[in-house]
PDB file of all heavy atoms in Angstrom:
ATOM      1  N   ARG A 428      20.226 -18.742  -3.709  1.00 81.00           N
ATOM      2  CA  ARG A 428      21.295 -19.681  -3.355  1.00 81.00           C
ATOM      3  C   ARG A 428      21.824 -19.417  -1.959  1.00 81.00           C
ATOM      4  O   ARG A 428      22.205 -20.344  -1.240  1.00 81.00           O
ATOM      5  CB  ARG A 428      22.447 -19.569  -4.365  1.00 81.00           C
ATOM      6  CG  ARG A 428      21.990 -19.826  -5.792  1.00 81.00           C
ATOM      7  CD  ARG A 428      23.106 -19.694  -6.809  1.00 81.00           C
ATOM      8  NE  ARG A 428      23.802 -18.411  -6.792  1.00 81.00           N
ATOM      9  CZ  ARG A 428      23.304 -17.269  -7.251  1.00 81.00           C
ATOM     10  NH1 ARG A 428      22.072 -17.241  -7.743  1.00 81.00           N
ATOM     11  NH2 ARG A 428      24.010 -16.163  -7.218  1.00 81.00           N
ATOM     12  N   ALA A 429      21.806 -18.132  -1.555  1.00 73.00           N
ATOM     13  CA  ALA A 429      22.306 -17.772  -0.229  1.00 73.00           C
ATOM     14  C   ALA A 429      21.394 -18.275   0.872  1.00 73.00           C
ATOM     15  O   ALA A 429      21.800 -18.387   2.023  1.00 73.00           O
ATOM     16  CB  ALA A 429      22.457 -16.256  -0.127  1.00 73.00           C
ATOM     17  N   THR A 430      20.140 -18.564   0.534  1.00 66.00           N
ATOM     18  CA  THR A 430      19.171 -19.023   1.536  1.00 66.00           C
ATOM     19  C   THR A 430      18.544 -20.341   1.118  1.00 66.00           C
ATOM     20  O   THR A 430      17.414 -20.635   1.473  1.00 66.00           O
ATOM     21  CB  THR A 430      18.067 -17.972   1.727  1.00 66.00           C
ATOM     22  OG1 THR A 430      17.442 -17.728   0.462  1.00 66.00           O
ATOM     23  CG2 THR A 430      18.627 -16.669   2.264  1.00 66.00           C
ATOM     24  N   SER A 431      19.298 -21.131   0.353  1.00 57.00           N
ATOM     25  CA  SER A 431      18.718 -22.353  -0.212  1.00 57.00           C
ATOM     26  C   SER A 431      18.224 -23.320   0.838  1.00 57.00           C
ATOM     27  O   SER A 431      17.316 -24.106   0.594  1.00 57.00           O
ATOM     28  CB  SER A 431      19.759 -23.042  -1.111  1.00 57.00           C
ATOM     29  OG  SER A 431      20.923 -23.348  -0.357  1.00 57.00           O
ATOM     30  N   GLY A 432      18.787 -23.235   2.030  1.00 48.00           N
ATOM     31  CA  GLY A 432      18.339 -24.144   3.082  1.00 48.00           C
ATOM     32  C   GLY A 432      16.995 -23.764   3.646  1.00 48.00           C
ATOM     33  O   GLY A 432      16.330 -24.567   4.285  1.00 48.00           O
ATOM     34  N   ARG A 433      16.567 -22.509   3.386  1.00 42.00           N
ATOM     35  CA  ARG A 433      15.318 -22.038   3.984  1.00 42.00           C
ATOM     36  C   ARG A 433      14.249 -21.732   2.956  1.00 42.00           C
ATOM     37  O   ARG A 433      13.120 -21.427   3.316  1.00 42.00           O
ATOM     38  CB  ARG A 433      15.595 -20.758   4.794  1.00 42.00           C
ATOM     39  CG  ARG A 433      16.393 -21.011   6.056  1.00 42.00           C
ATOM     40  CD  ARG A 433      16.659 -19.701   6.762  1.00 42.00           C
ATOM     41  NE  ARG A 433      17.570 -18.859   5.992  1.00 42.00           N
ATOM     42  CZ  ARG A 433      17.755 -17.560   6.238  1.00 42.00           C
ATOM     43  NH1 ARG A 433      17.074 -16.970   7.173  1.00 42.00           N
ATOM     44  NH2 ARG A 433      18.612 -16.871   5.519  1.00 42.00           N
ATOM     45  N   SER A 434      14.571 -21.716   1.673  1.00 41.00           N
ATOM     46  CA  SER A 434      13.575 -21.373   0.658  1.00 41.00           C
ATOM     47  C   SER A 434      13.418 -22.501  -0.332  1.00 41.00           C
ATOM     48  O   SER A 434      14.318 -23.301  -0.531  1.00 41.00           O
ATOM     49  CB  SER A 434      13.988 -20.090  -0.063  1.00 41.00           C
ATOM     50  OG  SER A 434      15.209 -20.276  -0.738  1.00 41.00           O
ATOM     51  N   GLU A 435      12.287 -22.536  -0.961  1.00 44.00           N
ATOM     52  CA  GLU A 435      11.931 -23.622  -1.858  1.00 44.00           C
ATOM     53  C   GLU A 435      12.070 -23.173  -3.295  1.00 44.00           C
ATOM     54  O   GLU A 435      11.600 -22.111  -3.680  1.00 44.00           O
ATOM     55  CB  GLU A 435      10.470 -24.017  -1.591  1.00 44.00           C
ATOM     56  CG  GLU A 435       9.971 -25.155  -2.449  1.00 44.00           C
ATOM     57  CD  GLU A 435       8.515 -25.429  -2.133  1.00 44.00           C
ATOM     58  OE1 GLU A 435       8.029 -24.896  -1.144  1.00 44.00           O
ATOM     59  OE2 GLU A 435       7.884 -26.176  -2.897  1.00 44.00           O
ATOM     60  N   GLY A 436      12.748 -23.932  -4.121  1.00 46.00           N
ATOM     61  CA  GLY A 436      12.849 -23.637  -5.532  1.00 46.00           C
ATOM     62  C   GLY A 436      11.594 -24.088  -6.250  1.00 46.00           C
ATOM     63  O   GLY A 436      10.587 -24.398  -5.639  1.00 46.00           O
ATOM     64  N   LEU A 437      11.672 -24.143  -7.602  1.00 51.00           N
ATOM     65  CA  LEU A 437      10.481 -24.453  -8.378  1.00 51.00           C
ATOM     66  C   LEU A 437      10.020 -25.874  -8.144  1.00 51.00           C
ATOM     67  O   LEU A 437       8.891 -26.108  -7.764  1.00 51.00           O
ATOM     68  CB  LEU A 437      10.772 -24.204  -9.855  1.00 51.00           C
ATOM     69  CG  LEU A 437       9.566 -24.199 -10.767  1.00 51.00           C
ATOM     70  CD1 LEU A 437       8.563 -23.186 -10.304  1.00 51.00           C
ATOM     71  CD2 LEU A 437       9.993 -23.882 -12.184  1.00 51.00           C
ATOM     72  N   GLY A 438      10.901 -26.842  -8.375  1.00 44.00           N
ATOM     73  CA  GLY A 438      10.693 -28.271  -8.195  1.00 44.00           C
ATOM     74  C   GLY A 438       9.339 -28.736  -7.739  1.00 44.00           C
ATOM     75  O   GLY A 438       8.410 -28.830  -8.514  1.00 44.00           O
ATOM     76  N   ASP A 439       9.219 -29.035  -6.435  1.00 45.00           N
ATOM     77  CA  ASP A 439       7.989 -29.597  -5.894  1.00 45.00           C
ATOM     78  C   ASP A 439       6.809 -28.640  -6.046  1.00 45.00           C
ATOM     79  O   ASP A 439       5.680 -29.055  -6.290  1.00 45.00           O
ATOM     80  CB  ASP A 439       8.163 -29.939  -4.404  1.00 45.00           C
ATOM     81  CG  ASP A 439       9.161 -31.070  -4.209  1.00 45.00           C
ATOM     82  OD1 ASP A 439       9.399 -31.805  -5.184  1.00 45.00           O
ATOM     83  OD2 ASP A 439       9.695 -31.200  -3.097  1.00 45.00           O
ATOM     84  N   ARG A 440       7.078 -27.339  -5.893  1.00 42.00           N
ATOM     85  CA  ARG A 440       5.993 -26.375  -5.982  1.00 42.00           C
ATOM     86  C   ARG A 440       5.401 -26.346  -7.390  1.00 42.00           C
ATOM     87  O   ARG A 440       4.196 -26.297  -7.573  1.00 42.00           O
ATOM     88  CB  ARG A 440       6.501 -24.984  -5.590  1.00 42.00           C
ATOM     89  CG  ARG A 440       5.458 -23.880  -5.705  1.00 42.00           C
ATOM     90  CD  ARG A 440       4.308 -24.058  -4.756  1.00 42.00           C
ATOM     91  NE  ARG A 440       4.718 -23.896  -3.377  1.00 42.00           N
ATOM     92  CZ  ARG A 440       3.879 -23.860  -2.346  1.00 42.00           C
ATOM     93  NH1 ARG A 440       2.595 -24.000  -2.551  1.00 42.00           N
ATOM     94  NH2 ARG A 440       4.327 -23.725  -1.125  1.00 42.00           N
ATOM     95  N   GLN A 441       6.268 -26.386  -8.410  1.00 42.00           N
ATOM     96  CA  GLN A 441       5.758 -26.419  -9.780  1.00 42.00           C
ATOM     97  C   GLN A 441       4.902 -27.659  -9.991  1.00 42.00           C
ATOM     98  O   GLN A 441       3.824 -27.604 -10.551  1.00 42.00           O
ATOM     99  CB  GLN A 441       6.918 -26.403 -10.778  1.00 42.00           C
ATOM    100  CG  GLN A 441       6.444 -26.485 -12.230  1.00 42.00           C
ATOM    101  CD  GLN A 441       7.594 -26.616 -13.194  1.00 42.00           C
ATOM    102  OE1 GLN A 441       8.730 -26.780 -12.793  1.00 42.00           O
ATOM    103  NE2 GLN A 441       7.289 -26.557 -14.475  1.00 42.00           N
TER     104      GLN A 441
END
Side-chain angles (χ1 to χ4, degrees):
R428 302 179 304 286
T430 57
S431 59
R433 290 178 292 166
S434 62
E435 181 182 349
L437 192 56
D439 293 340
R440 177 65 67 173
Q441 178 186 7

